[in-house]
Structure formats: structure tokens, C-alpha cells
Amino acid sequence: PVIDTLYGGMVSPGTDWNDEGDPSFYPIFDCYSPFRLNSVLVHATVAGSRLVGLISYPEGVTLNSASFFIPAGESRINLNWDVTPGTYGLRMFGSDIGMTYNDVSNTYPYPLGNVGAITSTTNGGSGATAYFEIFYDWEIAVTNYTCEGPRTQVDVTVGSVGIADAQDAGNVKLY
């Protein structure tokens, strides 16, 4: 197998970001074929421990979660979570999460290579596609399997072989 690393989403919050304290706002994404969500870039307004979770969407069932100490400013958190086809949310749990979001003026979807896409956020109404929430520069790994080998020339001789000829040769028996 060959492991390909792909990136998606906004690359970083840049300098034009807003403070996001509400944990109920987070990105929603679709997975078209299996991948591993290796890591994401975050920008914290204050240092502290954060609980990050992968949830089914819209059901809200937590499928994976882990706690991370995130320093103030930009940093990368390593998730290493396997994602199978479906719709998901990537969120933080808690009260004031102290992260960032950007006004993106309806520029969704954000492709995750050719295996998925960040499609919107949980912000209501027109806000669902007006903001990019919390997690930037998604790094995913895709395993590609190929069975291709070197090409080899094969010579084939085609001739007429009838059933009677094959029976005479002892190669085929009819019952």
C-alpha cells in the first residue's frame, strides 16, 4: 500500500480572526472514502486543556475524543483518528473554549483531497456557511492499494480447437 498525505480546509486563521468561545459551533464534514484524520491546526486565544471530539452528525454520538493542552497562539494537535464514509462534526467540549473562527462569506465546501469535504458549520441559518470554525489545515492520510506490476509481453496463439479435437488429445472429457 501507498500512504498519501493530503491537506484541506483553511490553511490558517491569518490575522483576521474572531474569538470563538461557544463549543456548540464547529465544522461539519463528509467522508466519501476512508481516511485517517492525522492532525489539525488550531489557534487558541488562551492556553489550556481542551477536549476534542469526533462526533456523528447530526446524531451527536461521540466516536473519538482526546484531551490536549493547547498553548496560546497557533499549534497543531495530532488526532490520528480513522474516519469511514459518513457525515461528522469535529468539535471541542467545555464552556468557553477560547478558540478562533473566520468570516469566509460562503466559500464552502473546503475539499479534503478527493475523499471528503468540510461542508458547513453548526452555526444556524446563513451562518452555517458564513464562518470557518476552530480547526484549520486538516492533515489526512489515505491508503491506496494497487496491484499493478511491471508489464510483460505475452504471446498467444489462437487456433481452432473443437470438442472432438480436445477429446482426442485427452484434455477434455464430456459427461
Side-chain angles (χ1 to χ4, degrees), residues 75-97:
S75 61
R76 184 165 287 281
I77 56 175
N78 294 314
L79 301 171
N80 295 313
W81 292 336
D82 291 325
V83 182
T84 57
T87 301
Y88 300 91
L90 185 62
R91 66 169 301 176
M92 288 193 177
F93 298 94
S95 52
D96 184 356
I97 59 173

Side-chain angles (χ1 to χ4, degrees), residues 19-91:
D19 185 21
E20 180 61 85
D22 191 337
S24 68
F25 298 142
Y26 53 87
I28 299 166
F29 69 99
D30 289 331
C31 171
Y32 312 137
S33 60
F35 64 82
R36 173 167 283 193
L37 179 55
N38 284 340
S39 68
V40 290
L41 184 72
V42 293
H43 184 258
T45 58
V46 294
S49 290
R50 312 291 200 298
L51 181 61
V52 177
L54 175 69
I55 64 167
S56 61
Y57 190 84
E59 301 82 6
V61 175
T62 301
L63 306 170
N64 269 309
S65 65
S67 185
F68 300 92
F69 180 82
I70 300 175
E74 283 189 17
S75 61
R76 184 165 287 281
I77 56 175
N78 294 314
L79 301 171
N80 295 313
W81 292 336
D82 291 325
V83 182
T84 57
T87 301
Y88 300 91
L90 185 62
R91 66 169 301 176

